[in-house]
Amino acid sequence: MRDLRKERLKLSFWALVLFLLFSLIATLTGWNEISLWLFKILLSIGCFLAVVKTFQMTADLFTEDRRNGTLGFLFLAGLRPMELFVGKLGGKALIVVYEILALAPFFAVSFVTGGVSEMLFTGGIAFLITLFLFTLSISTLSSVLTDDAAAAQALAYGLGGLFCLLPFGMHQIFEVMSEGTRMDAVLLFSPVYGGWLIFNDRLSTSALDFWANCLISLLYVFLIFLAAGRALALVWKREVFAEDLPAWQNKFNQWLHGSIAWRGRIWKEWSEKNPYVWLAASDRQPVRLCWIVTVVVLSLWMGGLFFWPKGWITTMNCYVTAMLLNCMAGLIFTYSAAKRLAIDRRSGALELLLTSPVSVDQIVEGQRQALKDQFKPVFVALGCVNGLLLVAGLLSREWNWKMLVSYLLVWGMVIMTACFYLWTRPSRAMWVGLNSARPSYAVLGPLMQISWLPLYVLWSFSRYTSLSAIWQIGFPYGTTAELVIVSFVFLVYYIIIAITADGGDTTLDTLKNEFRSVVEEPVPEPSDKRFKWWIGEGRFSRASDPGRFK
């Protein structure tokens, strides 16, 4: 409770400073305009707390117990799954609620001064509550489904983004492909649509839509909490009582992770050459997940082609689809590279393994060989898909030489990004996984941002045009200035990729040379403050001041 009080006092202090600043400005300009701005800024801060703080606080809600195998001890203490679920959830949620309540008096000031209407004030509070409950439900479900806090947080952001952005994407696609026909009803299924109405000053004209959106969001919350409780009960039965799984679930697990016969074939192939290849390749879950994501994205793309056969295939569509497929596959590939070493480091298996005849070179090269064997079919298929999308974009319109050169240069950046994953990410991911013992942390590095540079270039050219023109005509436009800029960006991008790729061999050498000394160090706790500034460069144990390594 003392920590809760400190957090609330800290937030109250900064809210008070913000309020005094706005009060000073209001004495010069009037309260009506300033009150509205104060309300929106405070609402933005509340939304930040409701999302980011909730994800941070609840990411490790159940993952720590699953990771440490302590669910059985909670059972011995007399707790039932529902009691555990409600108790842990309520304790973490109270911290975030306590901080959000610190903003309540300043919300009231913006309402009392007359700049904020009763409907806007009530709507803002209602949206903040529904957003917090939705975030809490998503984070809880992610924590139940994974045994790593960083993976739970990444999954929570992914699921939350899918729920919030998918309706907006569908709305835009329907509007463009249906020749201006509006489908505003689909926006009601986005949990952030209510906030969009508030910040765009449309609440007064769309009050009915706002409250309908709140009810739909609360329905999401109920269903997600129900799914999380059911998932926790299943995990409880499997990990605490060791109950046998149904036949269909056993077959699914064999398909997802690999059967005994399948692992036996790998053992026969690699037991004499390098037994660590068998260990690293014994779980094919990441590869299966990569295939699932690829099939789902391509199915959605084919669905769009089926419903809108005339205007679906455009250059922008091909770019976005290829980058989405490549980046999703790259994320999974990176996670898989770090997973085996991180799990073995956390469990202490690497210390035992290094006392055996298996050498460090065998471990590192075995992991790389396993990645190559597992993901080669996936990347071959993605290469074919990229080629088909390139050709489809070429056939979708007429070209002049400037347009064609710009088009091919952007595709060159797309292909370089895919090669970047194959060449540099495995070594760096293994290094990050070995140091942090957190496989998901390997995919959160700053180098991931480089993957979206080609899309940023496309956005830069198209943001001044209507969405319909972007999708149906779109980049490239064939101007000389466009060709010069694209060529310059391609050159810069090539230099960045080349420099980063040269560091792949250096990271591999560092991994092999410092492998034993890293394993001998204590495994860092997920709450270690050094994770805030460590970006995967250098040894984690030597991370001290932000941006500096001793």
Side-chain angles (χ1 to χ4, degrees):
M1 185 61 69
R2 184 177 300 174
D3 293 336
L4 289 177
R5 194 174 294 113
K6 287 182 180 180
E7 291 292 332
R8 185 179 180 184
L9 288 175
K10 184 190 301 183
L11 185 61
S12 298
F13 170 76
W14 288 111
L16 179 61
V17 171
L18 181 66
F19 169 72
L20 293 177
L21 177 62
F22 271 82
S23 298
L24 179 62
I25 299 175
T27 56
L28 302 176
T29 61
W31 270 104
N32 287 342
E33 187 71 22
I34 294 300
S35 295
L36 182 60
W37 277 102
L38 177 63
F39 177 80
K40 289 185 178 180
I41 291 177
L42 290 175
L43 183 60
S44 300
I45 296 174
C47 292
F48 175 83
L49 292 174
V51 176
V52 178
K53 193 71 174 180
T54 302
F55 280 153
Q56 292 176 349
M57 295 300 299
T58 57
D60 210 17
L61 195 62
F62 298 103
T63 56
E64 186 175 5
D65 293 318
R66 293 193 59 188
R67 185 170 59 248
N68 299 331
T70 56
L71 285 176
F73 294 106
L74 296 174
F75 167 72
L76 293 176
L79 291 176
R80 292 179 296 179
M82 187 54 63
E83 293 174 338
L84 173 66
F85 183 79
V86 175
K88 291 177 72 70
L89 185 62
K92 292 290 187 179
L94 182 62
I95 299 176
V96 183
V97 171
Y98 209 67
E99 292 189 6
I100 294 177
L101 287 177
L103 301 174
F106 304 100
F107 272 116
V109 169
S110 62
F111 171 65
V112 171
T113 53
V116 176
S117 65
E118 181 179 355
M119 179 182 296
L120 183 60
F121 178 76
T122 306
I125 299 300
F127 172 70
L128 198 58
I129 293 173
T130 55
L131 180 64
F132 165 69
L133 292 175
F134 173 76
T135 306
L136 185 64
S137 64
I138 287 288
S139 184
T140 303
L141 178 62
S142 301
S143 181
V144 172
L145 294 178
T146 61
D147 59 358
D148 179 69
Q153 195 167 344
L155 179 60
Y157 277 111
L159 291 176
L162 182 65
F163 272 95
C164 295
L165 300 180
L166 183 60
F168 281 94
M170 294 176 61
H171 173 264
Q172 296 290 355
I173 291 175
F174 275 115
E175 183 176 349
V176 171
M177 303 307 298
S178 301
E179 299 179 354
T181 303
R182 300 190 63 83
M183 294 287 292
D184 292 341
V186 74
L187 295 176
L188 298 177
F189 294 90
S190 172
V192 296
Y193 178 58
W196 184 84
L197 291 175
I198 292 175
F199 285 103
N200 286 277
D201 299 323
R202 298 187 181 184
L203 182 60
S204 58
T205 58
S206 306
L208 186 61
D209 290 345
F210 174 83
W211 293 112
N213 175 251
C214 289
L215 290 177
I216 293 174
S217 299
L218 291 177
L219 179 61
Y220 283 156
V221 171
F222 173 76
L223 294 176
I224 294 172
F225 272 134
L226 193 65
R230 179 58 180 167
L232 180 62
L234 293 175
V235 170
W236 185 282
K237 291 178 181 180
R238 185 174 68 251
E239 297 186 3
V240 176
F241 298 102
E243 292 187 1
D244 293 333
L245 298 175
W248 68 268
Q249 197 167 351
N250 278 321
K251 291 182 179 180
F252 176 76
N253 286 337
Q254 290 179 5
W255 175 84
L256 183 64
H257 298 281
S259 62
I260 297 177
W262 175 77
R263 294 189 179 98
R265 290 192 295 270
I266 300 177
W267 174 255
K268 289 180 180 179
E269 182 180 358
W270 289 101
S271 59
E272 297 295 334
K273 302 176 185 177
N274 187 348
Y276 195 82
V277 177
W278 168 81
L279 181 63
S282 59
D283 187 0
R284 60 187 180 188
Q285 180 184 15
V287 184
R288 294 297 194 192
L289 178 60
C290 195
W291 279 115
I292 291 173
V293 170
T294 302
V295 170
V296 169
V297 172
L298 290 179
S299 298
L300 292 175
W301 194 89
M302 294 301 295
L305 181 61
F306 176 79
F307 286 105
W308 300 288
K310 293 183 179 181
W312 181 254
I313 301 179
T314 63
T315 55
M316 180 63 69
N317 188 329
C318 295
Y319 283 139
V320 172
T321 304
M323 284 300 300
L324 179 62
L325 285 170
N326 294 347
C327 288
M328 292 300 296
L331 280 170
I332 298 171
F333 180 68
T334 303
Y335 177 83
S336 180
K339 181 180 179 181
R340 183 75 263 165
L341 292 180
I343 292 175
D344 289 344
R345 171 84 195 285
R346 190 169 60 207
S347 65
L350 282 180
E351 296 182 18
L352 297 176
L353 193 61
L354 289 176
T355 62
S356 68
V358 179
S359 65
V360 171
D361 282 344
Q362 284 182 302
I363 295 174
V364 175
E365 294 300 330
Q367 176 66 60
R368 287 163 58 88
Q369 183 64 45
L371 287 171
K372 180 180 178 181
D373 293 345
Q374 286 184 316
F375 281 88
K376 183 178 178 180
V378 180
F379 284 113
V380 169
L382 287 176
C384 295
V385 171
N386 277 254
L388 291 174
L389 290 172
L390 189 154
V391 173
L394 284 173
L395 299 177
S396 65
R397 60 193 292 184
E398 296 182 356
W399 300 85
N400 60 42
W401 71 271
K402 294 179 182 179
M403 296 167 61
L404 185 60
V405 172
S406 297
Y407 177 75
L408 294 177
L409 285 177
V410 175
W411 268 107
M413 288 190 279
V414 173
I415 295 172
M416 281 193 295
T417 303
C419 296
F420 167 77
Y421 279 117
L422 291 173
W423 183 255
T424 65
R425 294 304 294 183
S427 300
R428 188 177 186 277
M430 287 190 286
W431 172 254
V432 174
L434 180 68
N435 273 269
S436 64
R438 299 170 67 184
S440 55
Y441 197 80
V443 305
L444 302 178
L447 292 179
M448 276 301 304
Q449 298 174 359
I450 200 174
S451 306
W452 300 98
L453 184 57
L455 287 182
Y456 175 76
V457 173
L458 300 180
W459 174 79
S460 299
F461 281 109
S462 59
R463 61 196 178 103
Y464 299 109
T465 313
S466 66
L467 183 62
S468 178
I470 294 170
W471 194 266
Q472 296 176 359
I473 304 173
F475 175 89
Y477 300 104
T479 63
T480 303
E482 175 189 75
L483 179 60
V484 172
I485 294 174
V486 172
S487 301
F488 175 76
V489 172
F490 176 84
L491 180 61
V492 173
Y493 192 70
Y494 175 78
I495 294 173
I496 294 174
I497 290 290
I499 294 174
T500 308
D502 287 340
D505 292 333
T506 304
T507 304
L508 182 61
D509 293 337
T510 303
L511 175 64
K512 292 180 178 180
N513 295 333
E514 301 190 22
F515 194 97
R516 285 184 178 274
S517 57
V518 172
V519 172
E520 292 171 357
E521 296 172 348
V523 178
E525 295 293 332
S527 58
D528 196 316
K529 294 183 179 180
R530 288 174 291 183
F531 278 115
K532 293 181 179 180
W533 55 74
W534 186 66
I535 59 174
E537 302 294 337
R539 293 269 286 274
F540 178 83
S541 60
R542 298 173 184 171
S544 54
D545 296 333
R548 300 169 62 186
F549 297 96
K550 293 183 178 179

